[in-house]
Amino acid sequence: MDLVANLYLGLETALSPINLAYCLLGVFVGTLIGVLPGIGALAAISMLFPFTYHLEPTTALIMLAGIYYGTAYGGSTASILLNIPGTTSSAVTCLDGYPMAQQGRAGVALAMTAIASFFGGVFGILVLSVFTPVVASWALSFGSADYFALMVLGLVAASTVSDGSPIKGLAMVVLGMLVATIGMDPQSGTARFTFGSLSLLDGISIGALAMGLFGVAEIITSVRSSSNDSIKARDVSLRSLMPTRDDWRRFWMPALRASTIGSFFGALPGTGPTVAAFVSYGVEKRVATDPSRFGKGAVEGVVAPEAANNAADQTAFIPTLSLGVPGSATMALMIGAMMVHGIHPGPNLVTDHPDLFWGLVMSFWVGNLMLVVLNLPLIGLWVRLLTVPYKMLYPAILVMVCIGAYSVHFKAFDVMVVLGFGILGYAMRIFSMPAAPLLLGFVLGPMIEQHFRRAMVLARGDFTAIIGRPISGTVLVITLLILVLSIYASMRRRPADPAAPPAPHIEDED
Amino acid sequence: MSTLDTRELAGGLFLIATGGLFSGYALAKYSIGTVTKMGPGMVPVALGALLVVFGIVVAVGALTKGRNTSEIRVAVPLIILGSVLVFGLLIAPFGLFPAIIGCVLVATLAEGKVRPRFSLVLAGVLCVLAWLVFVVALQLAVPLIDWPF
């Protein structure tokens, strides 16, 4: 059977020594970054992005993906032990994880999250391997107009669904698209916005942009404010990790429900692991026979969000790999990593590069297994890591960002690009403008431009032809609905603003 | 509380200025073309104009709501950005180690205290780590110390 052969090919790719090594490196770094509060998955992937230039594309993706889902495992550790979410998607885990730790059940909470994460991850991988080829074969008939519409939907959903002003999100998408026009115009060969600089002719490198926006700007806001000097490492012994029979009984149904919810929200553009975690926690609270237990150390309260965010991490790859349309900034970086190596993700990816697709999928299994092994016995190491002072950490991150940017082309110019986007990134934080939509616009901008031009040529300049096509028309109507709804929601939110409690900050991550 | 949010207004003006610059420059320098045969200027002009519109919406919104209390830092951003600048200036002429040391010495100032011993030790440790990771393990062809003269 085809599937068996594909799975075998994928397993062979994923288990090659070099891919295994980079998968391990990825999940290790991912857990590390996830454990450390103040650095999210996006910043971590940006920082390691330059090194993927020197790797095979499959290996590069395996490593980047490992970092991505690894942070979801690590993020829960800080949530449970410190009540500080290591990543935004594990913020909900604090609600019941920290009370469990206070009751002396930190070990059980950590074990349950690791197992729930594994469960959710595996569930998400299954959904991913079944649906990606289906969506891809269905998408083979898509024309340029349809892709144009899908990409517009992706951008609008990703920039307006999260909290914050939808106008600012959209403005950042447009700014990202403008930044992407810098360099040689592929259609006409004209140099745009280069001001005679040869270095700018190749365009802005996605790695330098991401490192400036997420790495440097992140450090500027965290220095002196995120102090962890007072943290005392809580000792977690291996024995204390053992869940009781009652814990197991409370595990299966929430994990299954949350994985389903997570898989759904992960695949949708604009929503992601964070939304999935919040929704699944809410659902568990609603279906529970005794909702009052939640917030006081209910096992379901850590199982559900962790299963959901890991499932969502995996299914986020469905639109990315089958359509080439990323649903989040992190996925945009994945697409960037593929394009650096000349691979254009789209419906043909599964058939043209089966080793890449199935190798990546199988590496998810391997990586999730590694994560359980890394997280359970080595939990003591991660706990101690939480006590590394930030004053030692941030210079190290800065040095790594600089060397990383420089190492791509061995040009000091790229370091200066990081500097430029560091300045922009900080300015955007002052104006409370989200950075993730800018990256999405930057990656999707050139593709949108290309598809739009092609669609216009095919339709002889008649824009109504795009709206008239069944697929692109439907997608554009949905886009319009999302736009109107989110603007309406933000208008209603505004008058109550000053009194409103600080909403969870969920725009940057995923 | 004032009814004018100056920071929000500045954000809107920032968008208007950026969009205007992109649009204006593209309009002056590149051909626009027609819808079926678009020139290199079409997309930048359109996007720049869109950014101006968003900027106007943000700026107008700033006139009606007054809030925003978070601090704006001056010293920390300058120091952190300065450390990146120092690395960029030193790496090509002088090599990896001077760039790392310069970057770390500047970056550690962001803590608000001058602690030369801490900074130097950290710089030394990071030099060794960078050498192990980038030169030994990844085999990047970066000179450790260089002398341009």
Side-chain angles (χ1 to χ4, degrees), chain A residues 62-234:
Chain A
I62 286 177
M63 183 184 79
L64 290 182
I67 301 170
Y68 176 55
Y69 54 79
T71 49
Y73 276 78
S76 50
T77 307
S79 298
I80 293 170
L81 294 178
L82 304 175
N83 206 15
I84 304 167
T87 54
T88 42
S89 61
S90 7
V92 203
T93 312
C94 291
L95 297 178
D96 279 281
Y98 188 64
M100 279 181 83
Q102 285 176 317
Q103 294 156 16
R105 281 165 46 84
V108 177
L110 290 167
M112 279 324 233
T113 33
I115 299 165
S117 298
F118 182 73
F119 187 96
V122 166
F123 190 96
I125 299 167
L126 278 175
V127 175
L128 168 70
S129 13
V130 172
F131 280 96
T132 311
V134 175
V135 176
S137 66
W138 178 56
L140 278 174
S141 61
F142 284 10
S144 271
D146 305 321
Y147 275 108
F148 168 76
L150 276 173
M151 286 172 181
V152 172
L153 169 68
L155 284 177
V156 168
S159 53
T160 56
V161 167
S162 63
D163 64 358
S165 150
I167 292 293
K168 284 180 181 171
L170 288 172
M172 289 301 106
V173 165
V174 171
L175 185 57
M177 291 170 78
L178 273 173
V179 172
T181 62
I182 296 173
M184 176 95 81
D185 172 25
Q187 316 276 325
S188 62
T190 317
R192 292 192 288 198
F193 306 111
T194 57
F195 309 103
S197 153
L198 276 180
S199 303
L200 276 175
L201 201 58
D202 291 337
I204 300 289
S205 114
I206 179 174
L209 177 128
M211 285 192 289
L213 279 185
F214 302 106
V216 176
E218 182 91 48
I219 289 173
I220 291 174
T221 20
S222 309
V223 171
R224 278 204 256 171
S225 62
S226 85
S227 149
N228 56 357
D229 293 340
S230 56
I231 291 167
K232 270 220 213 78
R234 214 184 275 263

Side-chain angles (χ1 to χ4, degrees), chain A residues 157-485:
Chain A
S159 53
T160 56
V161 167
S162 63
D163 64 358
S165 150
I167 292 293
K168 284 180 181 171
L170 288 172
M172 289 301 106
V173 165
V174 171
L175 185 57
M177 291 170 78
L178 273 173
V179 172
T181 62
I182 296 173
M184 176 95 81
D185 172 25
Q187 316 276 325
S188 62
T190 317
R192 292 192 288 198
F193 306 111
T194 57
F195 309 103
S197 153
L198 276 180
S199 303
L200 276 175
L201 201 58
D202 291 337
I204 300 289
S205 114
I206 179 174
L209 177 128
M211 285 192 289
L213 279 185
F214 302 106
V216 176
E218 182 91 48
I219 289 173
I220 291 174
T221 20
S222 309
V223 171
R224 278 204 256 171
S225 62
S226 85
S227 149
N228 56 357
D229 293 340
S230 56
I231 291 167
K232 270 220 213 78
R234 214 184 275 263
D235 256 344
V236 182
S237 70
L238 263 184
R239 273 184 67 88
S240 73
L241 294 175
M242 278 308 292
T244 63
R245 187 174 300 206
D246 182 56
D247 292 332
W248 279 115
R249 196 176 54 76
R250 296 181 187 282
F251 174 82
W252 297 106
M253 284 320 285
L256 196 64
R257 274 191 294 262
S259 300
T260 318
I261 294 168
S263 301
F264 176 72
F265 283 110
L268 283 189
T271 58
T274 308
V275 174
F278 275 93
V279 171
S280 68
Y281 185 86
V283 167
E284 283 315 313
K285 203 170 167 179
R286 195 151 297 168
V287 300
T289 41
D290 180 14
S292 67
R293 285 174 46 248
F294 282 80
K296 295 173 193 155
V299 181
E300 298 94 317
V302 290
V303 168
E306 288 302 312
N309 65 27
N310 279 275
D313 277 350
Q314 305 295 356
T315 55
F317 281 94
I318 295 176
T320 311
L321 294 174
S322 65
L323 302 172
V325 180
S328 67
T330 321
M331 285 299 123
L333 275 177
M334 296 284 168
I335 286 193
M338 286 189 241
M339 299 219 287
V340 162
H341 293 281
I343 295 172
H344 291 271
N348 293 319
L349 181 86
V350 184
T351 41
D352 288 358
H353 301 276
D355 53 324
L356 188 146
F357 175 72
W358 293 104
L360 188 62
V361 170
M362 293 318 272
S363 86
F364 293 166
W365 292 93
V366 178
N368 273 282
L369 261 177
M370 284 177 178
L371 279 166
V372 171
V373 175
L374 270 179
N375 274 271
L376 289 183
L378 291 182
I379 192 73
L381 172 73
W382 304 121
V383 172
R384 216 153 306 141
L385 242 173
L386 281 172
T387 54
V388 173
Y390 196 71
K391 65 177 185 227
M392 284 157 76
L393 208 59
Y394 79 83
I397 297 172
L398 277 172
V399 165
M400 211 170 100
V401 163
C402 290
I403 301 178
Y406 181 72
S407 70
V408 176
H409 301 297
F410 298 104
K411 279 196 297 199
F413 176 79
D414 286 330
V415 182
M416 297 308 177
V417 175
V418 172
L419 179 67
F421 281 98
I423 297 172
L424 179 66
Y426 185 62
M428 281 161 55
R429 276 173 198 236
I430 293 177
F431 299 141
S432 47
M433 292 176 185
L438 197 157
L439 180 65
L440 265 172
F442 178 78
V443 171
L444 280 178
M447 293 195 252
I448 288 195
E449 183 174 348
Q450 193 190 348
H451 284 300
F452 183 64
R453 283 187 184 188
R454 209 178 290 161
M456 280 292 116
V457 170
L458 287 176
R460 295 193 185 78
D462 180 14
F463 189 77
T464 52
I466 293 186
I467 304 165
R469 283 176 62 101
I471 299 170
S472 55
T474 315
V475 172
L476 284 177
V477 168
I478 296 172
T479 311
L480 195 69
L481 278 178
I482 293 177
L483 200 60
V484 169
L485 279 177

